[in-house]
Amino acid sequence: MNDITFSQLGLSEPLCRALAAEDYTYPTPIQAQAIPRLLEGRDLLGIAQTGTGKTAAFALPILQKLSKPQLPVGARSAHALILAPTRELAIQIGESFRIYGKHTGLRHTVILGGVGQPQQVKAMARGVDILIATPGRLLDLVQQKHVRLQDVKHFVLDEADRMLDMGFIRDVRKIVTMLPRHRQSLLFSATMPNDVAKLAAEMLCDPLRVEVTPQAVTVDRVDQHVHFVETAQKRALLTDLLKDTKLARVIVFTRTKHHANRVSEHLERAGVSNDALHGNKSQNARQRALQRFRSGEARVLVATDIAARGIDVDGVTHVINFELPNEPESYVHRIGRTARAGNAGTAIAFCDASERGFLRDIEKLTRQPLTVVGARPAAHDTPQAKREARRPDPSVYRRRRQWHRGRQRRAA
Ligand code: AMP
């Protein structure tokens, strides 16, 4: 955090008042660097994960610029468009605009898939100042002529790398071609794969580049542990760890939806209040799960990567990687759910024999070994090595085959 205040960054009184009510005293580094330049109208390339305060970094300047007197917004139109890859993130961004913009009188709406369309069409009928959307549903509504993008003056593409992972880049490109050429554009991404860099080059004009945490480096404030454990023992280890009340608000990550359901059922049987959150759940079920987790009604959220990235829940004390992700970058995003907004947090990884390679990749990327709880098995001491050691010597199979052949010959 910096010592300068939000008003020194050039933000207006109604915005500063809303921030004060939220107990935001100082801007985060990305806010301090980006806000003054965005107010000047610059384009921006932000390399930042959630948890850095990036939402306010783009929302505040947009709110301020749209608060200045301007032509009223036309029917079915919007003056600012924010694209987000997931429904949860879109809703969260909408909520941020509501909070920061509560004294501005500006209108916003959120358009996303998985819920009914008529209400969204109705919300867009007389136009809004700020439109937050996921790409698929937005394109549907544009094609049905319920939304016009010709009046967009400020465009934000959030979590561009996630858009790429989820296969939305073509939709995003299509949407960008529908926007007016003369506009302010911002692109945020936690990592910068080639396709995202290419999109940024096409979309942005002489952008200011702000990088707040070096690309894919682990959040320093997270205490990271690893348990070496057999696959079959993971569930018992989880319930054992959860006996400690210090694990007050916990996200458990699994690799598949099916595993998330199974872990969730196991916790239910063990009497731990929890919900599963993944892509197969309906939008309502996902919102309900998040709400229960936020309010503390559910102590544990069992999630897959797809559902949990970008989720912003305060006070997550522990992240448990019940299964290690095969992409080390996902590990960084997962553990970034804790230690947010200046708090500390703990990440615990469960690593079975088949995941030792994933762990090596993670430690290589983050350049820091995880603290081992118990002993780190030597290469010959992993459960897999032990299983191999129990397997009979190949010559045993040879002798058995010879014996069988002999028996068949004798029987013939
Ligand atoms: P984001 O990176 O936009 O997802 O924000 C992460 C979290 O930090 C959110 O819970 C915000 O409400 C919070 N936050 C953002 N900016 C500030 C600030 N300047 N001071 C305190 N909290 C903040």
Side-chain angles (χ1 to χ4, degrees):
M1 306 264 166
N2 303 267
D3 280 345
I4 42 171
T5 60
F6 283 104
S7 70
Q8 284 169 322
L9 295 181
L11 289 175
S12 61
E13 189 278 331
L15 294 176
C16 291
R17 189 149 36 104
L19 294 173
E22 288 301 301
D23 283 333
Y24 289 15
T25 318
Y26 299 111
T28 65
I30 194 168
Q31 292 162 2
Q33 289 174 63
I35 290 172
R37 312 310 296 274
L38 290 175
L39 288 172
E40 288 165 12
R42 279 286 291 272
D43 280 7
L44 178 111
L45 174 61
I47 302 166
Q49 311 179 11
T50 45
T52 53
K54 70 181 162 74
T55 315
F58 67 75
L60 293 166
I62 289 177
L63 285 164
Q64 176 142 329
K65 287 182 88 79
L66 293 183
S67 301
K68 300 247 164 71
Q70 51 201 308
L71 287 178
V73 61
R76 290 168 283 130
S77 301
H79 282 160
L81 171 66
I82 325 294
L83 281 186
T86 63
R87 300 182 278 197
E88 282 77 12
L89 184 60
I91 291 170
Q92 233 164 252
I93 295 172
E95 185 57 12
S96 299
F97 271 99
R98 187 188 65 74
I99 292 169
Y100 306 146
K102 65 181 169 195
H103 305 300
T104 62
L106 294 169
R107 284 182 303 130
H108 77 274
T109 197
V110 182
I111 281 183
L112 34 85
V115 289
Q117 186 179 300
Q119 222 180 338
Q120 297 175 359
V121 171
K122 195 167 152 214
M124 282 307 294
R126 61 186 182 114
V128 291
D129 296 288
I130 300 139
L131 171 60
I132 301 118
T134 52
R137 174 61 64 90
L138 178 65
L139 265 185
D140 279 355
L141 293 188
V142 169
Q143 273 150 10
Q144 295 170 48
K145 307 222 177 325
H146 291 305
V147 175
R148 295 174 69 248
L149 298 178
Q150 287 85 338
D151 295 341
V152 170
K153 299 178 190 140
H154 307 277
F155 172 56
V156 181
L157 179 60
D158 200 9
E159 301 211 340
D161 50 352
R162 194 67 183 153
M163 293 277 191
L164 185 73
D165 292 349
M166 295 176 70
F168 291 151
I169 282 287
R170 278 183 55 181
D171 284 356
V172 169
R173 280 218 160 83
K174 233 190 232 170
I175 291 168
V176 173
T177 61
M178 297 170 175
L179 301 174
R181 265 175 185 281
H182 186 71
R183 58 166 201 261
Q184 182 179 35
S185 303
L186 289 65
L187 183 149
F188 290 88
S189 196
T191 57
M192 210 29 79
N194 284 344
D195 283 355
V196 173
K198 215 169 120 218
L199 182 67
E202 289 163 19
M203 217 185 87
L204 304 173
C205 175
D206 182 27
L208 168 74
R209 186 185 161 102
V210 177
E211 185 164 353
V212 281
T213 28
Q215 200 165 318
V217 165
T218 310
V219 184
D220 290 336
R221 292 188 307 275
V222 182
D223 242 344
Q224 299 173 61
H225 306 282
V226 58
H227 288 257
F228 290 98
V229 57
E230 298 248 13
T231 324
Q233 303 305 321
K234 284 188 175 185
R235 286 195 252 171
L237 176 60
L238 179 62
T239 24
D240 206 39
L241 289 176
L242 284 168
K243 285 184 189 141
D244 185 347
T245 50
K246 279 210 285 291
L247 282 77
R249 187 168 288 186
V250 185
I251 305 185
V252 176
F253 283 102
T254 62
R255 220 175 301 139
T256 65
K257 300 167 200 169
H258 177 59
H259 288 180
N261 286 339
R262 282 197 9 208
V263 171
S264 167
E265 283 156 18
H266 168 74
L267 290 177
E268 203 64 56
R269 281 194 297 274
V272 179
S273 56
N274 81 95
D275 284 296
L277 184 73
H278 53 66
N280 273 6
K281 297 262 170 186
S282 71
Q283 181 58 26
N284 281 344
R286 286 158 76 162
Q287 281 311 114
R288 214 168 33 243
L290 270 180
Q291 192 44 43
R292 275 170 40 88
F293 187 55
R294 271 206 184 100
S295 68
E297 213 181 312
R299 179 178 167 209
V300 177
L301 188 69
V302 188
T304 57
D305 284 306
I306 202 99
R309 209 170 113 168
I311 286 177
D312 173 30
V313 177
D314 286 339
V316 173
T317 58
H318 292 72
V319 166
I320 297 182
N321 283 292
F322 188 86
E323 289 160 331
L324 289 180
N326 46 3
E327 288 169 5
E329 288 82 7
S330 298
Y331 173 84
V332 177
H333 289 299
R334 287 178 178 190
I335 71 167
R337 302 302 99 213
T338 178
R340 295 164 74 78
N343 295 319
T346 305
I348 303 171
F350 291 1
C351 179
D352 67 20
S354 68
E355 295 168 310
R356 302 260 299 163
F358 300 156
L359 180 67
R360 268 196 302 277
D361 291 345
I362 288 166
E363 292 183 329
K364 211 157 90 194
L365 176 78
T366 59
R367 296 203 195 93
Q368 66 190 91
L370 274 63
T371 309
V372 180
V373 184
R376 184 182 282 260
H380 62 272
D381 202 23
T382 61
Q384 190 172 5
K386 281 187 191 152
R387 266 199 302 279
E388 306 242 317
R390 281 199 297 271
R391 216 174 272 159
D393 179 272
S395 64
V396 171
Y397 295 117
R398 207 167 43 241
R399 283 203 299 278
R400 264 189 219 162
R401 270 200 307 274
Q402 283 166 352
W403 181 82
H404 273 288
R405 277 201 212 108
R407 211 167 77 126
Q408 277 163 351
R409 265 201 306 275
R410 280 193 296 280

